[in-house]
Amino acid sequence: MKTMTLGLLALLPGIASAGTIAITNAEIHTAGRAGVIAHGTLIIRDRRIDAIGENLPLPQGARVIDAGGKPVTPGLFDAYTGLGIKEIDGVEESDDSAAKKSRYSAALDIADAFNPRSTLIPVNRVEGLTRAASAPDSASGGSLIAGQGAVISLGSLSEWLVKPKAAMYAQLGETGAKLSGGSRAAAWASLREAFGEVRRAGTPRVNPEHPSQLTAEDIEALRPVLSGEEPLVLYLNRASDILAALKFAEDNGIKLVVRGGAEAWLVAKPLAEHQVPVILDPRMDLPQHFESLAARADAAALLQKAGVLVAFALDDDFSSHNARNVRQLAGNAAAQGLDREAALAAITLNPARIYGVDGTLGSLEPGKIADVVLWDGDPLETTSFPRSVFIDGQEVPAISRQTELRDRYMQRLHLGPYAKPGTP
């Protein structure tokens, strides 16, 4: 019998007690050390997972939910989105994801522009997405260094900021070359110059007439990156660019994360040796650019087999609207040879590990925050849907702008109320 327990837990400040909930008769995919518990019970007490295992006694007075043998997983975690900072692609005023003409680059912090009331948050939340990295759009800005992102919760209007300044984002490869005058060499020289300015901050400039690339605020923002406290997420696809990034990170003591990674499988061994994670979109399996000629559908499986930590995120312009589709990415990767539990980890635990919040998020283990999803079918199938979504131990309503519009027009057409699949 696999059973884990936890003692009484103190309530965190500012959060109302969610009471005690027991999800029974569940196929629990923990994404943690316990693996899959075929006939398990999960107990939530005051926002946290209190116990998980087989044949657990039910706490007196607990709300009991019979899963009916259906899957239970951690809440989904998207490794790269524009949630809360990008609402409508065609409306410039609603898009705070990139600063094209700002004199600041690294100092830009998306948390300053984040809107927890974005209509896109409930749209993604009802499909099981509970946490995300909200990040600047490094491809659309005016600088190689786009700024800082944050880990966010999709379940609160007041306590949405999980981890500020979770990572610094930058763009190299083909787009980086364009931003630097047309050459990758110039892009790397510019990035080295930027970090050189951080090192030399406070000392007289060698050439006082040469304009500084960074503001004082940018320099302060980059210090944690140079000290290895904050990861640098570089958008790269070509294998040679990734190798150059590995050398740059090693030379500068930088904690590197590769995003994009179309050809990362070609250099999987050095990525694993340097313990550099890859944020990948498994759908990108065609040579859409010269830097992705070697893209292939089973890249995630090859990287995971080599020992590379892999997380998934959409690599397109719809990372805000369709962040919920990360489970489709996981399903695609599983169909191309990635172990199914590894595919689930790529959209739950692995993003939490990349951003340093895996101590409290990403898997179903005692003591961790209760982000839990009960599904009506296989979560890696697009035809499945959450029966219940819990964030911070509290069940969130299955309501979004889309469901409200659906219900309004079904009533107008006299079709009656909408019934979720599987309900009478």
Side-chain angles (χ1 to χ4, degrees), residues 51 58 69 82 119 215 220 282 336:
L58 301 183
T119 60
T215 67
E220 288 304 310
Q336 295 295 330

Side-chain angles (χ1 to χ4, degrees), residues 1 32 35 39-40 47 79 95 105 116 195 222 228 284 293 297-298 301 309 312 351 379 386 406 422:
M1 178 179 70
H39 304 286
R47 300 181 68 236
D95 186 353
S105 57
F195 281 96
L222 284 172
M284 299 301 173
L293 293 177
D298 60 348
L309 183 71
F312 295 145
R406 174 202 67 197

Side-chain angles (χ1 to χ4, degrees), residues 33-183:
R33 287 168 292 184
V36 181
I37 303 173
H39 304 286
T41 296
L42 185 147
I43 297 173
I44 300 170
R45 191 193 307 271
D46 298 334
R47 300 181 68 236
R48 301 265 179 165
I49 297 172
D50 187 73
I52 182 171
E54 297 175 348
N55 303 317
L56 296 183
L58 301 183
Q60 186 175 5
R63 174 192 171 197
V64 178
I65 301 173
D66 186 348
K70 298 297 185 180
V72 168
T73 70
L76 306 185
F77 192 141
D78 195 317
Y80 180 87
T81 76
L83 280 170
I85 55 171
K86 188 174 186 181
E87 192 79 14
I88 303 171
D89 290 328
V91 179
E92 184 177 345
E93 293 81 3
S94 73
D95 186 353
D96 291 304
S97 62
K100 299 178 182 178
K101 298 180 180 179
S102 173
R103 69 187 185 95
Y104 299 100
S105 57
L108 296 172
D109 184 350
I110 68 94
D112 293 332
F114 185 83
N115 175 22
R117 290 179 172 80
S118 166
T119 60
L120 301 183
I121 289 176
V123 167
N124 287 281
R125 184 175 62 205
V126 299
E127 295 204 32
L129 191 70
T130 62
R131 310 280 165 164
S134 187
D137 184 354
S138 54
S140 300
S143 170
L144 289 178
I145 302 173
Q148 301 169 95
V151 176
I152 61 161
S153 167
L154 279 70
S156 175
L157 295 178
S158 59
E159 298 187 359
W160 53 266
L161 185 58
V162 177
K163 184 176 183 179
K165 299 176 174 59
M168 185 71 67
Y169 294 83
Q171 183 88 18
L172 286 171
E174 290 179 2
T175 301
K178 291 177 183 177
L179 291 170
S180 304
S183 170

Side-chain angles (χ1 to χ4, degrees), residues 317-339:
D317 293 333
F318 302 103
S319 63
S320 299
H321 297 78
N322 295 329
R324 54 194 169 168
N325 288 350
V326 287
R327 65 189 181 98
Q328 179 182 343
L329 306 189
N332 284 14
Q336 295 295 330
L338 183 64
D339 175 80

